[in-house]
């Protein structure tokens, strides 16, 4: 997080130094919430869910085109200072001061909103015996101090939201082992873990959560999901299902947020409203994320043998 804050601060300074005056702030726009073309930037860890959201939005509004560039999270943050990028979707939430810095530098309205809660899922090779892990054991795996030589496999070794979460929220200052493997994409992480018995992967749950997605079902035939010790009940192990993500019983959760830069009611606003509206929230729910803008009721249930 500190590294990303440095990136944000550096860009604010650079834009401030090279700005060419305030201008009159007026610009001709050709897009509306239901017409036009825009480009957005999204954390590549969330490609399945962002693809699904865009597909439905464009289907419902056939005069729209949303071009998405998938990048590591740090590259998405740089796009806050890119005039051609209308929106950023990632796990970063700017502070009030950072929002104001973007507003002052870019002379544009900035809005941000968490629209869903995600989880970092842990996956193992089908032959692995490590199917129940505590967070202390996760730390040992990531630092290379686990009782068995498990190799952590990540979607890259720097700059992604998954890496930032593991370094900031799990390792908390400890060094990631040099034995960690970096894959180009989340599906590459899945394929690597499926082939290597001692590998253990870390990916966003949206890559394996949609039970109606044939590709994701094929992933689940290759690997198995590790259960982590519940954050509220020692010795109880839980999966990253929506109820556990909602209550944060699953210990590795994070919010998915959009940051919109738009000085008019355009296509970016339309897509933002869609994500936080009923249909968008249902798409998040279907993808195994926890909808962030709708109430979620957890009901007790019993199974009969």
């Amino acid at each position: 997080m500190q590294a990303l804050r440095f990136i944000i601060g550096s860009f604010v300074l650079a834009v401030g130094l090279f700005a060419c005056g305030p201008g009159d702030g007026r610009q001709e726009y050709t897009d509306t919430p239901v017409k036009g073309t825009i480009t957005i930037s999204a954390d590549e860890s969330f490609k399945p869910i962002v693809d699904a959201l865009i597909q439905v939005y464009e289907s419902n509004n056939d005069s729209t085109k949303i071009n998405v560039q998938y990048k590591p999270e740090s590259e998405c943050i740089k796009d806050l200072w890119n005039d051609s990028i209308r929106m950023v979707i990632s796990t970063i939430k700017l502070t009030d001061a950072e929002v104001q810095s973007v507003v002052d530098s870019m002379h544009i309205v900035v809005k941000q909103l968490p629209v869903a809660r995600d989880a970092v899922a842990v996956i193992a090779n089908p032959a692995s015996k490590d199917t129940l892990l505590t967070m202390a054991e996760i730390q040992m795996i990531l630092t290379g101090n686990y009782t068995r030589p498990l190799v952590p496999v990540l979607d890259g070794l720097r700059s992604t939201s998954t890496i930032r979460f593991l370094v900031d929220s799990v390792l908390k200052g400890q060094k990631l082992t040099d034995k960690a493997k970096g894959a180009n994409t989340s599906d590459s992480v899945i394929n690597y873990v499926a082939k290597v018995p001692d590998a253990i992967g870390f990916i966003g749950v949206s890559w394996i959560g949609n039970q109606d997605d044939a590709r994701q079902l094929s992933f689940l035939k290759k690997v198995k999901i590790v259960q982590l010790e519940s954050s509220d009940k020692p010795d109880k192990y839980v999966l990253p299902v929506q109820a556990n993500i909602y209550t944060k019983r699953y210990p590795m959760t994070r919010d998915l947020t959009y940051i919109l830069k738009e000085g008019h009611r355009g296509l970016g606003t339309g897509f933002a409203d869609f994500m936080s509206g009923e249909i968008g929230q249902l798409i998040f729910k279907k993808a195994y994320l926890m909808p962030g803008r709708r109430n979620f009721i957890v009901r007790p249930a019993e199974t009969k043998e």
Side-chain angles (χ1 to χ4, degrees):
M1 178 62 78
Q2 290 180 347
L4 283 175
R5 296 298 182 211
F6 176 77
I7 290 172
I8 293 171
S10 299
F11 269 85
V12 169
L13 177 61
V15 172
L17 289 174
F18 292 100
C20 299
D24 60 12
R26 290 179 295 181
Q27 184 174 348
E28 293 294 329
Y29 294 102
T30 59
D31 63 292
T32 73
V34 295
K35 184 182 72 173
T37 300
I38 62 170
T39 300
I40 70 173
S41 175
D43 182 336
E44 58 195 10
S45 299
F46 298 97
K47 186 177 186 301
I49 183 62
V50 175
D51 279 349
L53 289 162
I54 291 174
Q55 181 181 9
V56 174
Y57 190 79
E58 290 180 344
S59 296
N60 292 345
N61 302 277
D62 56 10
S63 296
T64 63
K65 179 62 179 175
I66 301 175
N67 298 309
V68 57
Q69 299 177 1
Y70 291 105
K71 305 175 181 181
E73 188 175 64
S74 63
E75 295 300 313
C76 291
I77 294 306
K78 292 179 183 179
D79 284 338
L80 289 173
W81 284 267
N82 185 339
D83 285 333
S84 65
I85 301 296
R86 191 74 64 86
M87 174 188 287
V88 170
I89 301 176
S90 75
T91 63
I92 285 290
K93 187 176 187 299
L94 302 179
T95 65
D96 290 343
E98 289 165 348
V99 169
Q100 192 59 48
S101 294
V102 178
V103 171
D104 292 343
S105 300
M106 303 296 293
H107 309 295
I108 198 166
V109 175
V110 175
K111 178 184 178 182
Q112 63 178 344
L113 188 72
V115 287
R117 183 174 295 160
D118 176 53
V120 176
V122 183
I123 57 174
N125 184 275
S128 176
K129 297 180 180 179
D130 297 282
T131 57
L132 302 175
L133 293 171
T134 67
M135 287 307 296
E137 290 171 327
I138 290 291
Q139 287 181 330
M140 288 189 285
I141 291 170
L142 291 170
T143 56
N145 297 312
Y146 192 55
T147 53
R148 285 182 290 282
L150 294 182
V151 178
V153 187
L154 316 168
D155 56 351
L157 287 177
R158 60 184 181 87
S159 303
T160 70
S161 60
T162 302
I163 300 297
R164 180 179 65 83
F165 178 86
L166 294 174
V167 170
D168 291 353
S169 301
V170 179
L171 292 181
K172 299 178 180 179
Q174 299 182 72
K175 185 177 181 297
L176 179 67
T177 176
D178 293 334
K179 296 179 180 179
K181 300 290 185 181
N184 291 330
T185 59
S186 294
D187 53 350
S188 297
V189 174
I190 296 169
N191 290 327
Y192 187 93
V193 171
K195 295 176 181 178
V196 180
D198 290 333
I200 190 158
F202 297 83
I203 57 173
V205 74
S206 66
W207 281 89
I208 53 173
N210 189 346
Q211 301 299 308
D212 295 324
D213 188 311
R215 187 168 184 238
Q216 293 192 27
L217 288 175
S218 70
F219 287 157
L220 289 174
K221 294 178 181 178
K222 297 179 180 180
V223 298
K224 54 187 177 183
I225 305 175
V226 175
Q227 297 184 55
L228 300 184
E229 187 176 35
S230 173
S231 60
D232 63 347
K233 292 183 179 180
D235 299 323
K236 181 176 177 59
Y237 292 81
V238 296
L239 288 167
V241 298
Q242 285 166 319
N244 295 329
I245 295 172
Y246 173 66
T247 59
K248 295 188 177 181
R249 282 197 296 265
Y250 186 80
M252 294 202 293
T253 63
R254 54 189 180 172
D255 287 340
L256 180 62
T257 299
Y258 72 72
I259 304 174
L260 174 65
K261 308 178 300 173
E262 193 163 78
H264 69 298
R265 187 164 176 77
L267 182 50
T269 300
F271 187 55
D273 290 346
F274 170 77
M275 284 191 287
S276 58
E278 183 177 358
I279 297 177
Q281 292 292 289
L282 286 174
I283 294 172
F284 283 120
K285 183 174 183 289
K286 183 179 178 181
Y288 237 45
L289 275 70
M290 178 62 219
R293 312 311 304 175
R294 289 292 183 272
N295 292 330
F296 188 80
I297 301 172
V298 179
R299 294 187 177 95
E302 294 182 359
T303 58
K304 295 181 178 180
E305 298 294 335

